[in-house]
Amino acid sequence: MTAKVHPNVAVPPSLGQPPAVAPAPAPVTLTVWRKSLLFNGRGFTVFDARGDLVYRVDSYASDSRAEVVLMDAAGCPVLTLRRRKLIGLGLGSDQWLVYPGEETRRLPPLYAVKRAAPQYMRGGFGGGAKSMAHVAACSGGGAAAKTTGAGGYEVEGSYLRRRCTVYDERRRAVAEVRPKEAVVGSDVFRLVVQPGMEVSLAMAVVLALDQMFGKPSLLRSWSS
């Protein structure tokens, strides 16, 4: 028997046949449950389309830290949101700073999420969609959270109704919070993230929105 020569060499396509086109990246759809896996705990549990655990947020009622830690399924910190109060600037001026991992003291934040001013929350841009929050990329300014003009996002809609959209700087919808079909109540909803936005960042934005607009906030002690 003659041995096969170069068995792993791909056969070239026939002349005139167009090359195969790779499929476009698909959106990531998550199911977000406003409930901790811990007994008597508060937080979030997040599943992918197959029902596998992706992210979790856990805390106890006695926890008084002004921060929220987004963990992966194994409990490893992915991102940490820390509240930064801006003294003397009025209602809605507080920021939620997004840090990598769990280190919030030595590393600079990646993003700053800030609640929109009241006039813009009422549709101040010509009566259009209600602006809820701004997400700005941070320079290496540490806790000062110096924001840059690049890589920012705008959040519009209503978090209480679980109908809001995250737009990038080119006005493209990159993430969306939607009610989950056949579910009564607002504690279970969908988060759809388009290619081009990090899924963990989209989830961090949801956590910040919950602290700003959730009624009641599951992490009440962290946002007081």
Side-chain angles (χ1 to χ4, degrees), residues 54-220:
V54 181
Y55 298 116
R56 58 188 294 180
V57 175
D58 300 313
S59 81
Y60 292 104
S62 59
D63 196 338
S64 60
R65 297 173 300 168
E67 66 181 30
V68 181
V69 180
L70 177 67
M71 299 177 290
D72 63 15
C76 298
V78 178
L79 295 172
T80 295
L81 280 76
R82 172 170 284 274
R83 188 185 187 189
R84 176 174 180 252
K85 291 186 68 66
L86 304 179
I87 306 300
L89 295 183
L91 179 65
S93 59
D94 290 359
Q95 291 180 331
W96 282 89
L97 305 181
V98 182
Y99 292 85
E102 199 173 11
E103 179 57 63
T104 63
R105 300 299 183 184
R106 299 180 181 178
L107 297 178
L110 302 174
Y111 289 89
V113 185
K114 183 178 179 181
R115 184 169 178 163
Q119 63 268 30
Y120 299 127
M121 293 181 63
R122 293 192 297 267
F125 295 106
K130 181 172 66 174
S131 178
M132 301 176 60
H134 311 284
V135 184
C138 295
S139 62
K146 299 176 182 177
T147 57
T148 68
Y153 301 92
E154 187 82 13
V155 187
E156 297 180 358
S158 172
Y159 178 74
L160 287 179
R161 297 178 181 177
R162 302 298 185 260
R163 294 187 181 277
C164 50
T165 304
V166 181
Y167 295 95
D168 66 8
E169 55 190 356
R170 296 174 60 184
R171 195 61 187 175
R172 296 176 299 186
V174 293
E176 187 176 4
V177 172
R178 305 172 181 171
K180 185 173 173 61
E181 303 83 356
V183 172
V184 178
S186 59
D187 281 350
V188 180
F189 55 92
R190 292 195 184 279
L191 173 63
V192 181
V193 185
Q194 300 294 332
M197 184 176 192
E198 294 184 13
V199 178
S200 59
L201 175 59
M203 190 60 213
V205 172
V206 169
L207 297 180
L209 293 176
D210 193 79
Q211 298 310 293
M212 297 173 183
F213 304 100
K215 292 185 178 181
S217 170
L218 290 179
L219 311 179
R220 184 180 301 108

Side-chain angles (χ1 to χ4, degrees), residues 3-55:
K4 186 175 181 180
V5 179
H6 303 302
N8 295 323
V9 175
V11 178
S14 303
L15 294 177
Q17 180 179 350
V21 178
V28 175
T29 300
L30 302 177
T31 296
V32 182
W33 187 20
R34 291 179 86 235
K35 183 177 178 63
S36 170
L37 293 177
L38 298 177
F39 180 70
N40 286 336
R42 297 172 178 165
F44 287 79
T45 307
V46 185
F47 303 93
D48 63 14
R50 298 178 300 181
D52 296 329
L53 179 65
V54 181
Y55 298 116

